[in-house]
Amino acid sequence: MNADRLRPAALALAAVALAAVLTGCQEGGSAAGPAAPSAPVAGTTAAPGSGGSGGSGGSGGGSGATAAPTVAPVVQKPAAPKTSVPKTSSPKTSVPEPAASSHGVGCVDSPPGPDDVDPDEFALYRIEELDGSTGKVNLVVQHGVWGCASKDSDGVPFVGTGEESRWALDQAAYVTATNPIVSSSGSQRIGVQELIDWVAAHPDSGLVFRYETGDDGAIHRLEQVFAP
């Protein structure tokens, strides 16, 4: 009995709803209601008419152009100030003067010490002959240094220091001589026997020679130093 009473009311409600749907289709061209206005995108400016309702052709908004995004200005960082680095000058080092030569430059005017002695030169005083089977003779020499020439002298003296020593000279050694051993101021090669004969005739002359030793420790090269 209650169902029969409610049926007419339900039919009436359905008719009203259908009428409402038909009315909406005629006004908007679709069953959907007007579109909700879209929120503007951050950083952009909304175009005119974008929030309006009820246009023709089924769109809820107007046909305005989409706004271009606003570009934020680029902030340039200030350039760091240039700092000048002070130049440090390297400390000046004193350049050592070249070693003095053996002929008076940088000569000694006082008794020489062990540090002043030239290890490659000596003054020759005598020659001692040995047994021929050794193939050597002994040179009696004294090491020293070149002294300073006096005003009245044309040459530079060789000042010996320390005790005399003996050095073996190979009888096949390369020997050169100048004045007074030979009659020339230039170096000339002579034999060991020629040197022995001259020194025997002029003992304790103190002529200066530069020498070189071989692997056996004996002198294999002997060159007289010319001193006027």
Side-chain angles (χ1 to χ4, degrees):
M1 186 174 182
N2 291 330
D4 294 336
R5 288 179 181 180
L6 295 175
R7 185 176 297 131
L11 293 175
L13 292 174
V16 173
L18 179 60
V21 171
L22 293 176
T23 303
C25 290
Q26 292 176 358
E27 291 180 357
S30 62
S38 59
V41 181
T44 61
T45 303
S50 60
S53 62
S56 62
S59 64
S63 61
T66 305
T70 303
V71 180
V74 179
V75 180
Q76 295 182 351
K77 294 182 179 180
K82 295 182 179 180
T83 57
S84 59
V85 180
K87 296 182 179 180
T88 57
S89 58
S90 57
K92 295 182 179 181
T93 56
S94 58
V95 180
E97 296 182 358
S101 65
S102 60
H103 291 285
V105 180
C107 59
V108 295
D109 53 2
S110 60
D115 295 336
D116 300 324
V117 172
D118 188 344
D120 299 326
E121 294 180 343
F122 52 56
L124 176 60
Y125 294 109
R126 295 177 302 279
I127 297 179
E128 299 174 346
E129 297 190 55
L130 303 175
D131 188 351
S133 61
T134 62
K136 295 178 177 59
V137 295
N138 271 345
L139 304 182
V140 181
V141 301
Q142 186 180 32
H143 285 82
V145 63
W146 292 96
C148 298
S150 62
K151 297 180 179 179
D152 299 333
S153 176
D154 296 334
V156 180
F158 186 84
V159 181
T161 181
E163 297 181 356
E164 293 180 352
S165 58
R166 286 165 172 78
W167 283 74
L169 173 68
D170 193 285
Q171 288 187 345
Y174 180 89
V175 180
T176 63
T178 65
N179 186 50
I181 297 178
V182 295
S183 58
S184 172
S185 59
S187 295
Q188 295 184 7
R189 184 173 181 180
I190 61 173
V192 173
Q193 188 59 49
E194 187 176 353
L195 176 66
I196 293 173
D197 295 341
W198 190 93
V199 174
H202 306 83
D204 300 327
S205 62
L207 295 180
V208 181
F209 287 83
R210 180 174 293 272
Y211 67 96
E212 295 178 8
T213 59
D215 296 336
D216 58 353
I219 297 174
H220 285 254
R221 190 178 186 93
L222 189 67
E223 297 176 298
Q224 182 185 353
V225 179
F226 176 72

